[in-house]
Coordinates of all heavy atoms in Angstrom, one line a residue:
V135 N -0.9 -3.3 -6.9 CA -0.9 -2.4 -5.7 C -2.3 -1.7 -5.7 O -2.9 -1.4 -6.7 CB 0.1 -1.4 -5.9 CG1 0.1 -0.4 -4.8 CG2 1.5 -1.9 -6.1
N136 N -2.8 -1.5 -4.4 CA -4.0 -0.8 -4.3 C -3.7 0.6 -3.7 O -3.5 0.7 -2.5 CB -5.0 -1.6 -3.3 CG -5.3 -2.9 -3.8 OD1 -5.7 -3.2 -5.0 ND2 -5.0 -3.9 -2.9
L137 N -3.8 1.6 -4.6 CA -3.2 2.9 -4.2 C -4.1 3.7 -3.3 O -5.3 3.8 -3.6 CB -3.1 3.6 -5.5 CG -1.9 4.7 -5.7 CD1 -0.6 4.0 -5.5 CD2 -2.0 5.4 -6.9
Y138 N -3.6 4.3 -2.3 CA -4.3 5.2 -1.4 C -5.6 4.5 -0.8 O -6.6 5.3 -0.4 CB -4.6 6.6 -2.1 CG -3.3 7.1 -2.7 CD1 -3.4 7.6 -4.0 CD2 -2.2 7.3 -1.9 CE1 -2.2 8.3 -4.5 CE2 -1.0 7.9 -2.4 CZ -1.1 8.4 -3.7 OH 0.1 9.0 -4.2
G139 N -5.7 3.3 -0.8 CA -6.9 2.6 -0.2 C -7.8 2.1 -1.3 O -8.7 1.3 -1.1
Q140 N -7.6 2.5 -2.5 CA -8.6 2.1 -3.6 C -8.1 0.7 -4.2 O -7.0 0.7 -4.7 CB -8.6 3.2 -4.7 CG -9.5 2.7 -5.9 CD -10.9 2.4 -5.6 OE1 -11.7 3.1 -5.0 NE2 -11.3 1.2 -6.0
S141 N -9.0 -0.2 -4.2 CA -8.7 -1.5 -4.8 C -8.6 -1.4 -6.2 O -9.3 -0.7 -6.9 CB -9.9 -2.4 -4.4 OG -9.5 -3.8 -4.9
A142 N -7.6 -2.3 -6.8 CA -7.5 -2.3 -8.2 C -8.7 -3.1 -8.8 O -9.5 -3.7 -8.0 CB -6.2 -3.0 -8.6
K143 N -8.7 -3.2 -10.1 CA -9.8 -4.0 -10.8 C -9.5 -5.5 -10.7 O -9.1 -6.1 -11.6 CB -10.0 -3.6 -12.2 CG -10.5 -2.2 -12.4 CD -10.7 -2.0 -13.9 CE -11.5 -0.5 -14.2 NZ -11.6 -0.2 -15.4
M144 N -9.7 -6.0 -9.4 CA -9.2 -7.4 -9.1 C -9.9 -8.4 -10.1 O -9.1 -9.4 -10.5 CB -9.4 -7.7 -7.7 CG -8.6 -6.9 -6.8 SD -6.8 -6.7 -7.2 CE -6.3 -8.4 -7.0
D145 N -11.1 -8.4 -10.4 CA -11.7 -9.4 -11.2 C -11.0 -9.6 -12.5 O -10.6 -10.6 -13.0 CB -13.2 -9.1 -11.5 CG -14.0 -9.5 -10.4 OD1 -13.6 -10.2 -9.4 OD2 -15.3 -9.2 -10.4
E146 N -10.8 -8.3 -13.3 CA -10.1 -8.3 -14.6 C -8.7 -8.8 -14.5 O -8.2 -9.6 -15.3 CB -10.2 -7.0 -15.1 CG -11.6 -6.5 -15.6 CD -12.4 -5.9 -14.5 OE1 -12.1 -6.0 -13.4 OE2 -13.3 -5.1 -14.9
L147 N -8.0 -8.3 -13.4 CA -6.6 -8.6 -13.2 C -6.3 -10.1 -12.9 O -5.4 -10.7 -13.5 CB -5.9 -7.7 -12.2 CG -5.9 -6.2 -12.5 CD1 -5.4 -5.4 -11.3 CD2 -5.1 -5.9 -13.8
M148 N -7.2 -10.6 -12.1 CA -7.0 -12.0 -11.6 C -7.4 -12.9 -12.8 O -6.7 -14.0 -12.9 CB -8.0 -12.3 -10.4 CG -7.6 -11.6 -9.0 SD -6.0 -12.0 -8.4 CE -6.2 -13.8 -8.0
A149 N -8.4 -12.5 -13.6 CA -8.7 -13.5 -14.7 C -7.6 -13.5 -15.6 O -7.3 -14.7 -16.2 CB -9.9 -12.9 -15.4
I150 N -6.9 -12.4 -15.9 CA -5.8 -12.5 -16.9 C -4.7 -13.3 -16.3 O -4.1 -14.3 -16.9 CB -5.2 -11.1 -17.2 CG1 -6.3 -10.3 -17.9 CG2 -4.0 -11.1 -18.0 CD1 -6.0 -8.7 -18.0
C151 N -4.4 -13.1 -14.9 CA -3.2 -13.8 -14.4 C -3.5 -15.3 -14.3 O -2.7 -16.2 -14.4 CB -2.9 -13.3 -13.0 SG -2.3 -11.6 -13.1
E152 N -4.8 -15.7 -14.0 CA -5.2 -17.1 -14.0 C -5.1 -17.7 -15.4 O -4.7 -18.8 -15.5 CB -6.7 -17.2 -13.4 CG -6.7 -17.3 -11.9 CD -8.1 -16.9 -11.4 OE1 -9.1 -17.0 -12.0 OE2 -8.0 -16.4 -10.1
Q153 N -5.4 -16.9 -16.4 CA -5.4 -17.4 -17.8 C -3.9 -17.9 -18.0 O -3.7 -18.9 -18.6 CB -5.8 -16.4 -18.7 CG -5.9 -16.7 -20.2 CD -6.0 -15.6 -21.1 OE1 -6.6 -14.5 -20.7 NE2 -5.4 -15.6 -22.3
Y154 N -2.9 -17.2 -17.5 CA -1.5 -17.4 -17.8 C -1.0 -18.2 -16.7 O 0.3 -18.5 -16.8 CB -0.7 -16.1 -18.1 CG -1.1 -15.4 -19.4 CD1 -2.1 -14.4 -19.5 CD2 -0.5 -15.9 -20.6 CE1 -2.4 -13.9 -20.6 CE2 -0.7 -15.2 -21.8 CZ -1.7 -14.3 -21.8 OH -2.0 -13.6 -23.0
E155 N -1.7 -18.5 -15.7 CA -1.3 -19.4 -14.5 C -0.1 -18.7 -13.8 O 0.9 -19.4 -13.5 CB -1.0 -20.8 -15.0 CG -2.2 -21.5 -15.4 CD -2.0 -22.9 -15.9 OE1 -0.9 -23.3 -16.0 OE2 -3.0 -23.5 -16.1

Side-chain angles (χ1 to χ4, degrees):
V135 181
N136 303 308
L137 213 60
Y138 305 134
Q140 171 59 50
S141 180
K143 291 186 169 174
M144 293 314 293
D145 280 353
E146 289 87 340
L147 298 172
M148 293 298 293
I150 296 167
C151 293
E152 274 160 25
Q153 183 196 330
Y154 290 92
E155 297 180 349

